[in-house]
Amino acid sequence: QKEVEQDPGPLSVPEGAIVSLNCTYSNSAFQYFMWYRQYSRKGPELLMYTYSSGNKEDGRFTAQVDKSSKYISLFIRDSQPSDSATYLCAFPGTSYGKLTFGQGTILTVHP
Amino acid sequence: GAGVSQSPSNKVTEKGKDVELRCDPISGHTALYWYRQSLGQGLEFLIYFQGNSAPDKSGLPSDRFSAERTGGSVSTLTIQRTQQEDSAVYLCASSLDHSNQPQHFGDGTRLSIL
């Protein structure tokens, strides 16, 4: 079993839709949770970084963590064509921050 | 510059040649990481530097891969006797220190082995 499973997609949604991206993990050592966005031919860009179970909101983005179920989600409200990218969940599993990534979900938002 | 800088952005070389990839982290960031991103394997950790030392090299796939960091800043990743399976995007990230601070990525070096 992989340490991290991410819904593979790809996802294609109309502009304005609510998008839900999800990851499950098996490693109890994961205590921090990140979401990165990666545009084509660019490096990953940090979107959200959370520690606690519950929700964290930043503009149109909400990160949700359920530690008891080992499940994290990223919601995008009022999606825009500029949100079209690959979204990666990531988990630092060591004291020095070595990241374990999900496989990524390709999202396309069409006008 | 303000972000992590990697060079070259693209590299095409013949099988069997050696290649050197460079990473210039954000100024003041003491932690530096190399990752590899390929279609089949996703994004995988290669090596971690704290200052000039590398406490974790566990992700390096073979002894053909090595990395060093000098002056607590620039890092080079060297691949000797390249093979076709080394074709991937090599990404570098840096963070303020090692205590789970957010990692900031460069745009990577796209390596193609013919």
Side-chain angles (χ1 to χ4, degrees):
Chain A
Q1 182 191 5
K2 287 185 178 179
E3 277 189 302
V4 178
E5 299 276 0
Q6 181 169 359
D7 290 352
L11 282 179
S12 180
V13 302
E15 184 174 354
I18 296 174
V19 176
S20 170
L21 304 162
N22 308 294
C23 288
T24 57
Y25 62 97
S26 59
N27 190 338
S28 297
F30 292 162
Q31 296 297 313
Y32 295 82
F33 312 94
M34 301 175 177
W35 285 96
Y36 280 85
R37 176 176 63 195
Q38 187 176 23
Y39 291 116
S40 180
R41 305 187 81 87
K42 294 289 189 182
E45 168 196 0
L46 184 66
L47 272 182
M48 300 288 279
Y49 185 10
T50 64
Y51 172 75
S52 306
S53 278
N55 293 350
K56 179 179 179 179
E57 195 172 311
D58 184 359
R60 296 184 295 109
F61 299 90
T62 299
Q64 188 175 80
V65 174
D66 182 345
K67 287 188 180 181
S68 61
S69 302
K70 294 189 174 66
Y71 187 89
I72 68 170
S73 297
L74 178 71
F75 297 96
I76 308 174
R77 289 187 301 280
D78 187 26
S79 55
Q80 302 294 309
S82 58
D83 295 328
S84 298
T86 298
Y87 289 80
L88 298 147
C89 55
F91 305 80
T94 64
S95 62
Y96 53 86
K98 167 184 170 181
L99 292 176
T100 299
F101 285 88
Q103 288 291 95
T105 302
I106 299 173
L107 171 67
T108 302
V109 181
H110 49 87
Chain B
V4 176
S5 177
Q6 291 188 246
S7 61
S9 53
N10 290 280
K11 178 74 176 178
V12 180
T13 193
E14 292 178 348
K15 176 182 168 182
K17 300 284 190 185
D18 297 352
V19 294
E20 247 187 32
L21 312 179
R22 176 188 167 107
C23 173
D24 204 339
I26 293 172
S27 178
H29 281 195
T30 61
L32 185 147
Y33 310 80
W34 283 96
Y35 295 88
R36 180 168 73 172
Q37 188 171 32
S38 56
L39 275 176
Q41 302 299 320
L43 236 160
E44 300 174 299
F45 168 82
L46 295 177
I47 187 170
Y48 155 68
F49 285 93
Q50 180 59 36
N52 291 337
S53 64
D56 188 351
K57 308 178 184 180
S58 63
L60 295 179
S62 76
D63 59 9
R64 296 186 295 105
F65 287 72
S66 63
E68 65 174 14
R69 189 178 184 195
T70 55
S73 182
V74 171
S75 176
T76 54
L77 177 69
T78 301
I79 310 173
Q80 295 179 308
R81 305 181 303 282
T82 52
Q83 303 294 310
Q84 287 188 330
E85 62 263 27
D86 300 335
S87 296
V89 178
Y90 290 82
L91 290 158
C92 176
S94 69
S95 68
L96 196 56
D97 61 27
H98 56 83
S99 58
N100 289 314
Q101 291 293 313
Q103 292 179 30
H104 301 271
F105 283 80
D107 286 336
T109 294
R110 187 172 299 269
L111 178 63
S112 299
I113 310 299
L114 302 178

